[in-house]
Amino acid sequence: MFAISMEVEEEVPSLLWGLDPVFSAFTRMYIKDIQEMKESKQVPGIFFYNRHPIRQVDVLGTVVLSKERDAFHTYGVDDGTGIISCICWKNPVTEQKSLSDKVNDPIYDAQISRMLELPHLYREIYDKKFQLPEETQSGQGSAAVLNSITLLSEKIMDFLLRSKTQNFYQQELETVNSLVSLIRPCGSKATSEQMDFKVGLNAKLIRSSFIEAIKVLQEKGALFQKSKNPNGVYCVTKQDKELYRVTLEIIKADCKRPKYAEKGCHLRHILSCVQQNYSHFVTEAVIHYLLDLMESNSDVVTTMEEYYTVF
């Protein structure tokens, strides 16, 4: 049974995070609260505030410190409750995602608007603990959600490979009836009314189920995004011929160098090169998935754990 573990922070199981709209938003918070949040024990980089899973934040304040490094700038931002460090990568693509352009606001309209907005957000959303829907409060309900999402992720992958899809938007999958029909409200049999994704709770259930199923596939490396836009295009690792070509060329070129001739290239070295030459957002899981595929195709071989070479 999939037990819900409620420790000090009452962590919600990661497969249910998508049910909380805060998880998909840039959460506007005070810096003091951001600094005091506890990191998830399930997924590094996710933090909790009143059981709300938070992965990205939006802060507004005065820059009180600026340092330049080879690959990035570091800024200290002060909003009156605390100071937080922000990194702005020099790569133009990631720079736009890491930190906004300066706010030109001589009469402090933006700051005043934020000061008025934040108390309302805290009162109406953040300070109210995230509650699971009634049908998932029990361990049995959570197990049903887990099984449904696992099955959905498998069927999504089958559909993408059968249709030879190279990239897609999540919303496109939500129009595939054979996939939508796999989602069942907990504790009841599906009816035509329950499967109507345009109606109330069922629409939310379907949307969150696809979010979680896609996340499962991302964690396996089967899917990835070329940008950090949560509503952007997903790429199918197995179908991405350009990623395959770039990765293989990197391994071939580096294995000719004396440093890598004997043992081959380590997975993390390959990852770093792919991020520089293809997309900064390719993850280690994607490279691992891709190298397993290359090995099954006899394009690369493993010399030792996580080292790869070509003949």
Side-chain angles (χ1 to χ4, degrees), residues 158-176:
D158 289 342
F159 171 79
L160 294 172
L161 295 179
R162 280 200 321 271
S163 60
K164 298 182 179 180
T165 301
Q166 296 184 21
N167 47 65
F168 63 94
Y169 288 96
Q170 177 186 315
Q171 293 88 334
E172 294 174 324
L173 291 182
E174 294 173 17
T175 65
V176 180

Side-chain angles (χ1 to χ4, degrees), residues 17-293:
W17 290 350
L19 295 174
D20 187 349
V22 171
F23 182 62
S24 301
F26 278 91
T27 311
R28 298 186 172 188
M29 301 183 70
Y30 297 117
I31 289 174
K32 176 180 179 293
D33 291 327
I34 295 171
Q35 294 171 326
E36 292 178 353
M37 288 191 298
K38 298 294 177 62
E39 189 170 19
S40 169
K41 293 179 174 60
Q42 303 171 70
V43 180
I46 303 298
F47 295 80
F48 281 92
Y49 183 88
N50 266 346
R51 297 183 73 211
H52 294 287
I54 294 174
R55 63 175 176 173
Q56 49 198 7
V57 295
D58 181 333
V59 299
L60 178 66
T62 303
V63 175
V64 294
L65 174 69
S66 177
K67 291 184 179 179
E68 183 175 2
R69 299 289 186 266
D70 290 340
F72 58 86
H73 296 275
T74 300
Y75 297 100
V77 178
D78 185 346
D79 72 346
T81 69
I83 301 175
I84 195 168
S85 294
C86 301
I87 290 178
C88 182
W89 295 95
K90 290 185 178 179
N91 182 314
V93 175
T94 58
E95 183 172 352
Q96 294 175 2
K97 303 296 181 182
S98 303
L99 190 68
S100 300
D101 299 328
K102 273 192 307 185
V103 176
N104 184 14
D105 187 16
I107 58 174
Y108 299 99
D109 281 346
Q111 288 91 327
I112 293 172
S113 176
R114 179 67 66 99
M115 289 171 60
L116 296 174
E117 176 188 37
L118 284 181
H120 173 76
L121 289 174
Y122 272 85
R123 183 173 61 253
E124 299 298 327
I125 301 175
Y126 308 149
D127 288 339
K128 294 181 178 178
K129 285 190 175 182
F130 169 50
Q131 299 292 327
L132 297 173
E134 290 183 0
E135 65 269 19
T136 62
Q137 288 291 340
S138 67
Q140 182 178 2
S142 295
V145 172
L146 175 63
N147 292 334
S148 174
I149 289 172
T150 300
L151 176 62
L152 180 59
S153 68
E154 293 171 355
K155 295 302 182 182
I156 286 175
M157 200 65 224
D158 289 342
F159 171 79
L160 294 172
L161 295 179
R162 280 200 321 271
S163 60
K164 298 182 179 180
T165 301
Q166 296 184 21
N167 47 65
F168 63 94
Y169 288 96
Q170 177 186 315
Q171 293 88 334
E172 294 174 324
L173 291 182
E174 294 173 17
T175 65
V176 180
N177 291 333
S178 61
L179 297 177
V180 175
S181 65
L182 297 172
I183 301 171
R184 298 285 188 272
C186 298
S188 62
K189 294 182 178 180
T191 66
S192 58
E193 289 81 8
Q194 288 172 327
M195 296 315 302
D196 183 359
F197 58 85
K198 295 182 180 179
V199 178
L201 177 61
N202 294 317
K204 184 177 181 180
L205 174 64
I206 289 173
R207 175 59 53 86
S208 63
S209 296
F210 273 96
I211 289 174
E212 296 306 320
I214 287 174
K215 186 166 69 174
V216 169
L217 293 172
Q218 285 182 289
E219 291 171 353
K220 291 180 179 179
L223 302 178
F224 69 98
Q225 291 182 287
K226 293 183 182 179
S227 69
K228 207 61 175 178
N229 179 3
N231 298 316
V233 177
Y234 292 92
C235 301
V236 182
T237 305
K238 194 170 184 177
Q239 310 278 35
D240 195 318
K241 296 180 180 179
E242 180 65 11
L243 174 62
Y244 194 105
R245 181 189 66 78
V246 169
T247 305
L248 187 57
E249 287 181 354
I250 288 170
I251 299 172
K252 286 181 178 179
D254 281 359
C255 284
K256 294 178 182 178
R257 298 166 58 188
K259 181 178 179 180
Y260 305 103
E262 183 178 351
K263 294 193 301 184
C265 300
H266 190 271
L267 182 146
R268 289 195 181 90
H269 168 74
I270 299 170
L271 170 64
S272 177
C273 293
V274 170
Q275 287 176 335
Q276 293 178 32
N277 291 277
Y278 185 76
S279 170
H280 181 78
F281 300 103
V282 172
T283 65
E284 183 172 327
V286 171
I287 296 300
H288 209 296
Y289 183 98
L290 187 61
L291 290 170
D292 285 345
L293 177 61

